[in-house]
Structures are given as structure tokens and as C-alpha cells.
């Protein structure tokens, strides 16, 4: 990836998603967050006291589960002689699997950003507030798209684009008649416009100022008419917001389409915003197609083949791609790997060796995205995991299945048929710090 923290952020999002779904019986799931300045010894003493209290739980099953979770947390803390620079997060406990069985989960790691929240909770679920706070991007840009038909308020942060509010308006058009009625209609029209600008300004204050403080890094005003200039110059527009205006953008549309266009036209101010980087990356992929260079690849089968050849310079993968890397083993212990799309997942059941017809045993099954996030460096490629906020990303997902690559050189044509998905590839099993939990 272009930034190591992008990969760490994505892994954390996946971990949160997994832990959110975990449920236990009783209060056997421990959530522990230790800020950088808190001493490990203090937390160990606190857990010792909690162990004594938990020994008095009347329910034998719940008591054993809680004691086991506390003991696991204590053992994890022994691995750290001191609190890491960014603090420490620990999740321990017995969770129920989909088939009703119990599974002991032990997770501990130093996050990529300092933990700001001190937390200790014993519950039937994991509390993820400290982790969710790590994903918040402090760099946020506000957008106001205003024209004669209505206004839209949006926010851009990381790879998330959000429409905060939207409303429409009907303004009187210029009156072509002469006489006294022309002046009267002119006054009415001007009054309506002023009231409209007032409403836009007041709503901007409600959305972009929280607790008397501006909640965005910068503000971009966009529109197809002169309304954006009127808004910026209006005495009603909060001076604090006016000081944050970084650009006025002329767009051809209002609403959501105008929002998308405003983002594209503001790129030089939004270089560090993830969704803009994703937009530029996918646009480059489409440009290679338009120029017919032959230096692109897409689809799971062709991508895996190109990775094996070392031809992929940049691998683009949708974060919610549903596909699998399945490792099989035959009766003689020979292992083989297949990559399956979501609609091929049923092939895992009763899989057989194409040559001998023997039944194959499933050794492991993991998400293709998870595997690529760990294995991409082995293929000498850069990995970019994208969301679906940008319109270009949506087109990439719908048109190319959510996986594609920019190649170092033009490859020979490959016959990408359904049967290609049955090819086997060499085993590649890199270490994955979170693999057992995904």
C-alpha cells in the first residue's frame, strides 16, 4: 500500500467487524484498553482484585468462564514488561461459534495510534469503542453544493463520503413584464433569494459547528450559479465558517452529482483524503483500458496468474470482495490451493481431485482479501484496498468484479474461462497476526 497505516487501518476495520459479531454466555468476555501512560502493573493489580470478586459468582459455569477470561488477560499482560508507546488493547473470553460450540478468544496488540480511552469491562460482548475511535480521521472537509433548485451538505473524511443534509427550493424566475408589476415581482424574487441564502447559511452553522467549534478542516462551496458567491459574502454566513472556505467550485449539476463533481475539482486541496486517492487510482485503471495498452488485468483467475508472474505493479481490491482462498489436501497429504468466487463457494463441498477422482479434505479456508493483505509483498506488488464511496470505485466494482491490477508490462492474452478457476496454485502461507480471528 502507499501508506502502511492504510493496511493497518483496514485490518483493524476487519477485526472490529469480527469482534462485533462475537457473543458469549454470561459475562465471560473481557474488553481491556490501556492508555500509554497507564502502568501495566496497575492493570495487573486490578485484574487480581477482579479475580477475587469473580470467585464469588454463584453460577458455576459463568464463574469458570469469567475466571478463565481474567486469567487469559493476566497471561497476556505478562508478555509486556511495560506499556507500549501507543498503549495496549486486550480482548479475552469465551465466545459461541455458529454451530453453538464455545471458543476461547485471546487478542492483544499495540494499535497504530495512541489509545485515549481507559477501559475494563466484563460483558456478554466485546466493547469496541477504543478501537472505533482509532479509525476516526481528524481531517474532514465540508461541502455545500448550492444552486437555484436546492442545496446539499456533505462531508469527506478518509475513504468515507457522507451526505449530511439536502433540501430543495422553488425560486421565482425573472419576470419579463414591464410596468409596476415588474418591480413588485423583482422585489419578491430578491426577497425569496435572500431568504434561501439565509436558510443555507443557518443550516451550515448547525452542521459544521459543534459545541461552538468548527468540526471540519476546510469548507468547499460549489454551485452552478452565483449562489455560492452570495453565500460566502453574506453577513448571515458565520465568519468562523467563512474563514475555513478553501475554494469556490463551479459545477454543472446540483445534488449528489454536484457533490461528486466538486470532489473531483477540489483534488489539489484533498491530496491526503483517501477517497480522492482511490478516485485517481481507479481513473488510471480506466485510462489504461481506454488507451488499449494491455497493461491491466482483472478477474480472480487472471489476477492470480499475473501475480505469479510478478507482472502486477499495483493490485486494486474492493474491501468487501466476497471470494475465498481454499487449501485442500488429498489422501497422500499433498496440498493444493483453489481460488473461488462467491458463486463457486459450494465447490468446497465434496471437492475431488481432477486427476484421480479422490475426495479432497479442506485444510483451511480464508477470505481472498485477507490473504492478499498478508501475501501481496511476496509477489512484489503494491496493494490498494478501496471502498465504494467514489462513483469511479462503484463502476470498478460492478464492471470488473472488484479486483484488478495495473501491470508492469503487457502480457500475452489469457483465455479466461470458468474452467480456469479450477487451476491449482502453489501454497503460500505467510504469517498473519489476525488470521485466526477472521
Amino acid at each position: 500500500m502507499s501508506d502502511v497505516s492504510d493496511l493497518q487501518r483496514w485490518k483493524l476495520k476487519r477485526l472490529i467487524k469480527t469482534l462485533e459479531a462475537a457473543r458469549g454466555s454470561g459475562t465471560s468476555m473481557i474488553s481491556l484498553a490501556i492508555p500509554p501512560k497507564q502502568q501495566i502493573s496497575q492493570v495487573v493489580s486490578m485484574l487480581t482484585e477482579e479475580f477475587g470478586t469473580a470467585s464469588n459468582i454463584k453460577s458455576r459455569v459463568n464463574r469458570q468462564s469469567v475466571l478463565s477470561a481474567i486469567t487469559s488477560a493476566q497471561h497476556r499482560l505478562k508478555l509486556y514488561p511495560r506499556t507500549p508507546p501507543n498503549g495496549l488493547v486486550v480482548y479475552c473470553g469465551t465466545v459461541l461459534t455458529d454451530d453453538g460450540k464455545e471458543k476461547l478468544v485471546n487478542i492483544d496488540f499495540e494499535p497504530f495510534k495512541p489509545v485515549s480511552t481507559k477501559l475494563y469491562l466484563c460483558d456478554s460482548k466485546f466493547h469496541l469503542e477504543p478501537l472505533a475511535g482509532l479509525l476516526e480521521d481528524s481531517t474532514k472537509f465540508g461541502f455545500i453544493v448550492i444552486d437555484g433548485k436546492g442545496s446539499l451538505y456533505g462531508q469527506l473524511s478518509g475513504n468515507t463520503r457522507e451526505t449530511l443534509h439536502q433540501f430543495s427550493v422553488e425560486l421565482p424566475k425573472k419576470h419579463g413584464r414591464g410596468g409596476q408589476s415588474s418591480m413588485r415581482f423583482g422585489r419578491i424574487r430578491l426577497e425569496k433569494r435572500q431568504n434561501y441564502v439565509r436558510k443555507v447559511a443557518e443550516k451550515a452553522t448547525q452542521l459544521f459547528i459543534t459545541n461552538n467549534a468548527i468540526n471540519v478542516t476546510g469548507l468547499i462551496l460549489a454551485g452552478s450559479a452565483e449562489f455560492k458567491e452570495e453565500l460566502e459574502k453574506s453577513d448571515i454566513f458565520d465568519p468562523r465558517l467563512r474563514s475555513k472556505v478553501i475554494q469556490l467550485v463551479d459545477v454543472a449539476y446540483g445534488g449528489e452529482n454536484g457533490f461528486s463533481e466538486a470532489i473531483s475539482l477540489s483534488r489539489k486541496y484533498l491530496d491526503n483524503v483517501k477517497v480522492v486517492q482511490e478516485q485517481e487510482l481507479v481513473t488510471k485503471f480506466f485510462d489504461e483500458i481506454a488507451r488499449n495498452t494491455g497493461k491491466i488485468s482483472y478477474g480472480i483467475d487472471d489476477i492470480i496468474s499475473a501475480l505469479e508472474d510478478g507482472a502486477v505493479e499495483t493490485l486494486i481490491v474492493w474491501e468487501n470482495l466476497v471470494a475465498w482462498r481454499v487449501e485442500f489436501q488429498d489422501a497422500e497429504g499433498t496440498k493444493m490451493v483453489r481460488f473461488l468466487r462467491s458463486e463457486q463457494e459450494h465447490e468446497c463441498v465434496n471437492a475431488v481431485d481432477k486427476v484421480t477422482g479422490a475426495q479432497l479434505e479442506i485444510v483451511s479456508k480464508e477470505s481472498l482479501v485477507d490473504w492478499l493483505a498478508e501475501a501481496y509483498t511476496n509477489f512484489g506488488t503494491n496493494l490498494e484496498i478501496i471502498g465504494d464511496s467514489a462513483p469511479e470505485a462503484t463502476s470498478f466494482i460492478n464492471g470488473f468484479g472488484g479486483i484488478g491490477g495495473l501491470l508492469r508490462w503487457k502480457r500475452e492474452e489469457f483465455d479466461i474461462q470458468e474452467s480456469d478457476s479450477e487451476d491449482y496454485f502453489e501454497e503460500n502461507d505467510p504469517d498473519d497476526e489476525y488470521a485466526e480471528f477472521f
Side-chain angles (χ1 to χ4, degrees), residues 85-353:
N86 287 337
L88 184 64
V89 178
V90 180
Y91 290 99
C92 293
T94 303
V95 302
L96 298 175
T97 61
D98 293 336
D99 54 3
K101 296 181 180 179
E102 292 187 343
K103 177 183 177 182
L104 185 61
V105 172
N106 289 311
I107 302 174
D108 61 281
F109 63 96
E110 178 190 2
F112 56 85
K113 287 168 57 177
V115 178
S116 59
T117 306
K118 178 181 176 181
L119 176 71
Y120 170 76
L121 283 172
C122 233
D123 203 347
S124 59
K125 64 178 182 180
F126 290 126
H127 288 260
L128 305 169
E129 295 85 353
L131 298 187
L134 298 175
L135 293 177
E136 293 181 358
D137 196 327
S138 59
T139 305
K140 298 179 182 179
F141 290 90
F143 285 77
I144 301 177
V145 183
I146 176 174
D147 62 11
K149 296 181 180 179
S151 294
L152 177 145
Y153 304 82
Q155 182 175 279
L156 191 66
S157 176
N159 68 345
T160 303
R161 155 188 165 161
E162 181 182 4
T163 298
L164 302 175
H165 184 71
Q166 189 173 7
F167 69 89
S168 58
V169 67
E170 292 185 7
L171 296 175
K173 300 182 182 300
K174 290 184 178 180
H175 201 275
R177 296 179 183 178
Q180 294 181 349
S181 62
S182 176
M183 296 177 62
R184 182 167 60 86
F185 279 113
R187 287 194 301 270
I188 293 174
R189 178 175 176 271
L190 180 60
E191 184 180 345
K192 293 280 189 181
R193 286 176 65 95
Q194 289 175 342
N195 289 337
Y196 173 45
V197 172
R198 175 189 296 273
K199 181 179 180 180
V200 173
E202 291 175 347
K203 194 65 182 179
T205 302
Q206 295 175 18
L207 293 172
F208 297 123
I209 295 182
T210 305
N211 297 327
N212 209 34
I214 300 174
N215 57 29
V216 292
T217 305
L219 193 60
I220 294 168
L221 306 183
S224 56
E226 67 275 11
F227 281 105
K228 57 185 179 293
E229 287 84 2
E230 291 184 27
L231 174 63
E232 185 189 29
K233 296 175 182 178
S234 172
D235 294 336
I236 306 165
F237 192 49
D238 194 300
R240 293 170 294 179
L241 293 180
R242 186 183 295 112
S243 68
K244 287 293 183 179
V245 174
I246 58 177
Q247 189 180 24
L248 274 67
V249 180
D250 289 317
V251 293
Y253 308 97
E256 294 289 348
N257 290 334
F259 188 13
S260 299
E261 190 177 0
I263 293 173
S264 297
L265 294 174
S266 306
R267 286 181 179 175
K268 66 178 181 179
Y269 298 99
L270 308 174
D271 285 341
N272 295 323
V273 179
K274 184 74 168 109
V275 70
V276 175
Q277 296 171 351
E278 293 176 359
Q279 199 174 37
E280 294 175 346
L281 178 65
V282 177
T283 297
K284 183 177 180 181
F285 180 86
F286 289 148
D287 287 345
E288 293 291 333
I289 295 175
R291 293 190 289 116
N292 196 27
T293 63
K295 294 173 66 176
I296 61 104
S297 179
Y298 59 89
I300 295 175
D301 306 315
D302 200 14
I303 283 293
I304 295 297
S305 178
L307 285 171
E308 293 285 346
D309 288 347
V312 182
E313 183 174 13
T314 303
L315 178 61
I316 309 170
V317 183
W318 179 35
E319 62 183 1
N320 293 323
L321 176 68
V322 181
W324 306 95
R325 178 187 184 272
V326 186
E327 183 180 358
F328 294 94
Q329 180 175 282
D330 62 18
E332 297 179 355
T334 303
K335 293 181 179 179
M336 56 202 72
V337 174
R338 293 178 63 182
F339 297 89
L340 303 177
R341 296 182 292 273
S342 57
E343 64 271 19
Q344 298 173 305
E345 189 177 356
H346 66 278
E347 296 180 16
C348 292
V349 182
N350 298 323
V352 296
D353 190 307

Side-chain angles (χ1 to χ4, degrees), residues 1 6-15 17 135 157-161 274-275 278 282 315-324 367-373 383-390 393-394 396-397 401-404 438:
M1 284 188 162
D6 287 342
L7 180 56
Q8 293 173 327
R9 187 181 298 272
W10 176 82
K11 285 184 177 182
L12 187 58
K13 286 174 64 176
R14 298 283 282 200
L15 179 62
K17 185 176 180 180
L135 293 177
S157 176
N159 68 345
T160 303
R161 155 188 165 161
K274 184 74 168 109
V275 70
E278 293 176 359
V282 177
L315 178 61
I316 309 170
V317 183
W318 179 35
E319 62 183 1
N320 293 323
L321 176 68
V322 181
W324 306 95
S367 162
L368 176 61
V369 186
D370 292 338
W371 178 73
L372 287 172
L383 176 63
E384 296 290 346
I385 298 179
I386 66 171
D388 52 12
S389 295
T394 302
F396 174 77
I397 294 163
I403 185 168
F438 291 150

